[in-house]
Amino acid sequence: IDQGLCMASLSDGYLEFRSRVNSIIRTMTIPLVQKFIWHMFITKDSDFVELYGLSILPQIKVCDPSVYEYILEKVVFDDFSFETADDILRALQGSYSCMGITCNDVGELNGRQDGCSDDISATLRGYEITDQTLLPRIVFDRDILQIKVLATMGAWESALDLYAYGQNVVVGGSLNSLKDLVISKIDTLHLGDNFQGFAGKFDDVDEYINAALVGDDMFIDASNDQRIEGVGRMLQGLVTYLYALGELQNASANCGVDPLFNSLSSWDMGAAYLMGSIKANIDEYHSDDFGQAWFALANEMCDYFGTCVSSGKAHASESLVDDLNTGKELLKAKSCTELSLLLEEDITPTILVPLIQGMLHYAVENEELSSSSESGSLAAGDALSRAIIPVMNAIDSDKSMQIMTNMKFEKGGSKPVEDGAERVFADVAAMIDGLKVDCDDIGGYENLGLGVCYENPADTGSGTKTTLPDGTKSTSTSLADGLYTTTTYVQNRAEIALDVKDIESLLKSDKATLAMGIYEDGFHSAIYNEIGEKIGDRSLADFSRSAPQIMAKEPTYNIFRYALEDDNGLYLGRDVGLYADTIVLGAFGNTNSRTLASEAIVALNLWMFVVHELHQTVDKCKGKLLTDDDGVHSMDEAVAYYIGDGQQTGDSKGHSLYALAEYMGELFEQDEADQTRVNRIIMKLFNQAKLEVSFASACINNPSTHVRLREIVNKIVSQMAVPLLQKLIYSLRKNDRDRVKLYAQSVVPLIAGCSDSTFSFLRDRLILEGNIFNAIDVDDIIEKLQSAYSCLGLTCVDVGTYEGVPACHDKPPQSSLAGYVPKSDISEFSKLDLDLHQIYIFLKFGAFNAAEDLYTMGKHSTLKKLDGGEEIITLRQLATQSARSIVPSFDMFERYFDQDFDYSNSMVKRTLDPNEPTMVSLKERTKLVVTTLQSMVVYMAALQKIYDAIEDCESTDSFRNANAIEEWDRAAGLLIGSMEGANEGGRQGGMMMYGLAKEQCKQFDVCTNSGDAKVNERLITLFYAGRSELTARNCPPLHKAAEKIEILLQIPLIQSTLSLMILNPSMNEDNFGELYAFSRSILPYVEEADRDASQIIAKNIDFRPTKGNLDAAMMALKDAIPKMGVDCDLVGRLDGKSACAKSTATSHTGSFVLSLSTCTVLSFVGVIVTFLM
């Protein structure tokens, strides 16, 4: 201090002062050690031995725990015995270096030759360090242990100091710290492609460790245990193994380069980083591995996964020692190729084993905990997952992100391992081959039946559900030259592609009759009975002809029926359900394009049958009907049909859907590496789907399995549309009219599930008999197709580009909705109307399960999550969420519906129940569900978003302030919907309140000159005005705006109720469900304004057995309208008469006083909208 050390810079002053203090402490330790030895050998006084033992044991504990345990027992817990003195002395001398002293410092007792040596052992768990100069560096793990000890005692500043400046590792006379190791930024390029996720991340590792030591950032509210585990597992699970790999790779890269000593030194250091210096030096204490590096983690985890060998050590650690010794010999022999293979194929995968095990262990541990738990295992799981996720990310970024979300440590955040430990195991299983790790090396978790190996029934003796033909020994089928190897026998399914091949060959030879015979009767794809005897052949014709029976309740098939049927339920004179067979039979008669029929078979029969296999698997999983390998077999079947027999990976010369995707992908510049983009995506999704149903009883025990499986299947169906779209666009550019019509019939019907107007445009030009498109219309037609990509779950990149095709542009995030231009990205959120539209389609054909699935699980509407993932928004979610109570009028609805908090959900669920006796008409059910969703579920959800925005505006939380505008925009998205398009006033076919208002304005003579509803015009103005107030954080006027919006929204509901009563006086049952739902959407308001009127309406508009008096109900509603505060002029006139009995009430829907900020913004609205459209 007198020399001014503390006045110097940190590195020159504080570190020098710190070094001198440590030197003083070490020197003070010497007489304590000497006294301990003196009393052991001279006085043999057990009390003094215990006293001086206790004075030095704390220092030993933080660097050599096994010696500490041994001496503690021999001199403290037991009475000291002189017979043990020599053993105790040898153990003590082995810890001198740990205490910073030497044999010479302590000296020899009375000239006693005790063989003391200061040499650090060069043998690490069976591996001999060649470069003796490295020995001082291998004690880095002492720093890790001491950091954890200091943290355990609450000495966090000292722990931070030790991390930053080091304590035990001395190189060239200077201390090296763990922080030096972390920020030295190892060259990740040497680690290989799978490790590039770590590139540029080492500052993040340092920040993570600092945050845990300081109690900042994600550790700000963490418990001491969580901070300790976060630091310890990060250093053990990421830093040591990554730098070990770096050294080993460096040695391999310099193999054969002189001097050999340099590469041997790198190899030794890599081994040292993995093993560490701390070990059980006393044999009887070997049961506890006190190490802090990778080796200790492996030995810790093997107990949980049953991968320990007879010695109690991990199989992985024993294997690694053998491989490291082998690698050293290869390095000496300059066998560089063998060394590189050993490192890549054996050592690196082995190193990953305990990291994966550790992450999976904590997934199980943390699954049962809450986010508020103080358990250190939450941070341990997070830290270990960070050590492996960047490697997994190179294999499957989606699953890696899913694992990261499940393992993330977030005190007070979402529930830990929210998707369940089984989900994490399944995600790892999907990537295990890519990691080159043998799944058997991971093992199975205790007695929970969790593992990362696929269970092959042929291996377990349970047999497969698929009956094998006589003489067949293997249950697996290799498809596309090993691209996909099935678990179950599906070779006979794959051979259906050979029927396509023969049909095509016969058609080319003008042998249409023979080709037709194979189509109708089959030839190559055998069917076997229960004992493996062939009983017939499956045919491609049956794929379509059986559809009305086996696909009648499936979503995709019913969208095609909806699109193609005429008023009599026919397509080209036959049952619309047979559309594929009808088209194929017509193609057989086409003399202009000889192979058109074989193409039609693939694009229609085979395509829909693969989709059927996928939907059927989801349905069976949902119904808990999949046991043993049923689910795996179903997925194997789908892949077999998709790829077909005789296919090679990446080859377009096959005969099934895979080959079609290869052929078209090449034309559309999507040939990526060995496959086209679409096939690469589809095969990845097939594997994900198979994994979901691979685990025993996955569909029975895990209620979320079918939900995840459904999401994957929806993505597969979307991607399967890509080659059909490509072929249609290609045929349009080539003016191949026969194929334009064929591929239009194969894919355009899907667009009927997106937009009736877009579908009608394309149908009229490409599908309808007698209609021939003009060449000058081709660009417009292609642009219409492109406009539907988003609804189909595709992007422009998915479809690719072809010469001469108009440039494709995905819908921008802030796309206009009927002229309203949101400030936030609600483009995906606003697609909830697509769910509503498709529910209508499914119910129209009696597909109740498909409708209920879409209502319950959603499909089209999504929100981005903070972690970058997506959350599907469902109509049921909107109908049941507790946050609706923020809307002032919600209490009124709850009271009206007898305190049923989920009143609209109750109505929908009852109507979707096919066994409900009070409703007999399918049309009645359909309209009741759709109207309830439109007028009650979406209606209240939009109001909720409005009031959420107001609450966010008024909050003192800056994050909520920033979120207010997005909530406001979401309200607009719910009321307008995506189907209205971008242009001001929207287009026909809208399913939300905006479209309902347009539909009713014509009947009530309240449309604007442009054809939009006056209500909508005022609604858009109010949304712009309110958003301007939110931008300025001027919150008070928003309450008035919300009231105005709510009253405006009641107008189309009133109009719909009145029009149905007036235009349907006989109460036709086809319209009764619609009338009932519309009346219930306004009755809570009517009851507040006029209780008598509400009772009259409710009594006369109710379900059978009796029908009421609509005249009485209509008069009661007309009387109540003015009392509800609704502007009668906006309700309008029906049959030349005012919709209101009187109109003396003060209007609440007129203009209101706007703030200066609102007026300023609104003056530019017209210009902005025009510019953005």
Side-chain angles (χ1 to χ4, degrees), residues 690-868:
K690 181 175 180 177
L691 180 62
E692 287 292 345
V693 293
S694 293
F695 295 101
S697 303
C699 296
I700 296 173
N701 296 333
N702 191 335
S704 61
T705 298
H706 79 274
V707 178
R708 294 191 299 268
L709 181 62
R710 178 177 176 272
E711 291 176 15
I712 297 169
V713 164
N714 285 337
K715 291 177 182 178
I716 294 175
V717 176
S718 292
Q719 291 295 325
M720 284 177 61
V722 170
L724 304 182
L725 283 164
Q726 292 170 332
K727 189 73 176 191
L728 174 57
I729 293 170
Y730 173 79
S731 301
L732 281 164
R733 295 307 309 170
K734 294 296 184 180
N735 198 24
D736 185 341
R737 293 180 178 268
D738 288 333
R739 286 177 174 78
V740 165
K741 183 160 187 175
L742 168 60
Y743 288 99
Q745 291 168 315
S746 74
V747 73
V748 168
L750 288 171
I751 298 174
C754 301
S755 166
D756 282 339
S757 59
T758 301
F759 169 70
S760 296
F761 175 92
L762 294 169
R763 177 200 59 199
D764 293 349
R765 289 158 179 77
L766 303 177
I767 295 177
L768 288 185
E769 288 293 307
N771 287 15
I772 302 176
F773 66 90
N774 293 316
I776 59 173
D777 296 331
V778 166
D779 284 353
D780 290 340
I781 291 170
I782 293 175
E783 286 174 355
K784 281 290 185 183
L785 288 169
Q786 292 169 343
S787 72
Y789 287 176
S790 175
C791 165
L792 296 176
L794 302 172
T795 66
C796 294
V797 173
D798 287 328
V799 179
T801 60
Y802 183 73
E803 183 180 356
V805 171
C808 180
H809 302 286
D810 291 323
K811 196 174 182 181
Q814 285 81 30
S815 296
S816 169
L817 296 173
Y820 176 78
V821 184
K823 273 193 172 182
S824 45
D825 182 1
I826 60 166
S827 56
E828 297 301 313
F829 178 79
S830 64
K831 291 180 182 178
L832 202 66
D833 54 347
L834 297 176
D835 284 5
L836 185 52
H837 177 51
Q838 291 187 10
I839 285 173
Y840 165 74
I841 292 173
F842 301 155
L843 288 176
K844 183 177 186 294
F845 292 100
F848 286 96
N849 288 340
E852 184 175 19
D853 286 348
L854 192 49
Y855 169 67
T856 305
M857 293 179 275
K859 179 181 179 182
H860 299 93
S861 178
T862 60
L863 280 180
K864 290 182 180 177
K865 297 194 289 188
L866 293 178
D867 61 10

Side-chain angles (χ1 to χ4, degrees), residues 829 941-950 967-968 970-971 974:
F829 178 79
L943 292 179
Q944 177 199 322
K945 293 297 179 186
I946 289 171
Y947 282 98
D948 282 342
I950 296 173
E967 293 291 345
W968 190 262
R970 287 176 188 172
L974 286 170

Side-chain angles (χ1 to χ4, degrees), residues 553-554 614-624 853:
K553 306 302 180 184
E554 295 173 3
L614 296 172
H615 287 316
Q616 179 178 247
T617 305
V618 174
D619 288 342
K620 287 184 177 180
C621 184
K622 178 187 173 187
K624 300 183 178 181
D853 286 348

Side-chain angles (χ1 to χ4, degrees), residues 815-956:
S815 296
S816 169
L817 296 173
Y820 176 78
V821 184
K823 273 193 172 182
S824 45
D825 182 1
I826 60 166
S827 56
E828 297 301 313
F829 178 79
S830 64
K831 291 180 182 178
L832 202 66
D833 54 347
L834 297 176
D835 284 5
L836 185 52
H837 177 51
Q838 291 187 10
I839 285 173
Y840 165 74
I841 292 173
F842 301 155
L843 288 176
K844 183 177 186 294
F845 292 100
F848 286 96
N849 288 340
E852 184 175 19
D853 286 348
L854 192 49
Y855 169 67
T856 305
M857 293 179 275
K859 179 181 179 182
H860 299 93
S861 178
T862 60
L863 280 180
K864 290 182 180 177
K865 297 194 289 188
L866 293 178
D867 61 10
E870 287 185 342
E871 174 191 3
I872 295 178
I873 305 301
T874 75
L875 285 160
R876 184 184 183 278
Q877 179 184 338
L878 299 186
T880 57
Q881 55 191 347
S882 59
R884 290 169 298 150
S885 58
I886 196 175
V887 181
S889 58
F890 179 77
D891 287 342
M892 185 169 65
F893 276 78
E894 189 178 8
R895 283 196 308 274
Y896 181 82
F897 289 101
D898 297 326
Q899 301 303 314
D900 183 354
F901 190 83
D902 296 334
Y903 58 91
S904 54
N905 178 61
S906 299
M907 191 179 298
V908 171
K909 294 293 285 184
R910 185 183 71 168
T911 311
L912 288 175
D913 182 358
N915 299 315
E916 172 60 44
T918 59
M919 291 171 286
V920 295
S921 165
L922 179 58
K923 287 185 178 180
E924 184 178 72
R925 290 177 186 272
T926 301
K927 291 186 178 180
L928 179 55
V929 169
V930 172
T931 304
T932 301
L933 294 173
Q934 178 188 53
S935 64
M936 298 174 76
V937 174
V938 173
Y939 173 87
M940 188 58 69
L943 292 179
Q944 177 199 322
K945 293 297 179 186
I946 289 171
Y947 282 98
D948 282 342
I950 296 173
E951 190 173 80
D952 284 349
C953 179
E954 294 172 339
S955 173
T956 58

Side-chain angles (χ1 to χ4, degrees), residues 1050-1051 1054-1055 1058 1082 1086 1089-1090 1093 1114-1129 1131 1138-1142 1145:
Q1050 293 171 38
I1051 290 174
I1054 292 169
Q1055 291 170 331
L1058 287 171
I1082 57 168
V1086 176
D1090 188 333
M1114 181 168 56
M1115 290 308 300
L1117 179 55
K1118 285 187 174 185
D1119 285 338
I1121 292 172
K1123 302 174 188 177
M1124 295 163 62
V1126 175
D1127 188 339
C1128 286
D1129 290 337
V1131 177
S1138 172
C1140 298
K1142 48 187 175 181

Side-chain angles (χ1 to χ4, degrees), residues 197 244 267 362 468 571 606 629 659 687-688 726 738 889 1094 1110:
W267 193 261
Y362 286 113
L468 305 184
Y571 182 65
L606 198 50
D629 64 328
N687 279 301
Q688 289 178 9
Q726 292 170 332
D738 288 333
S889 58
S1094 73
L1110 286 187

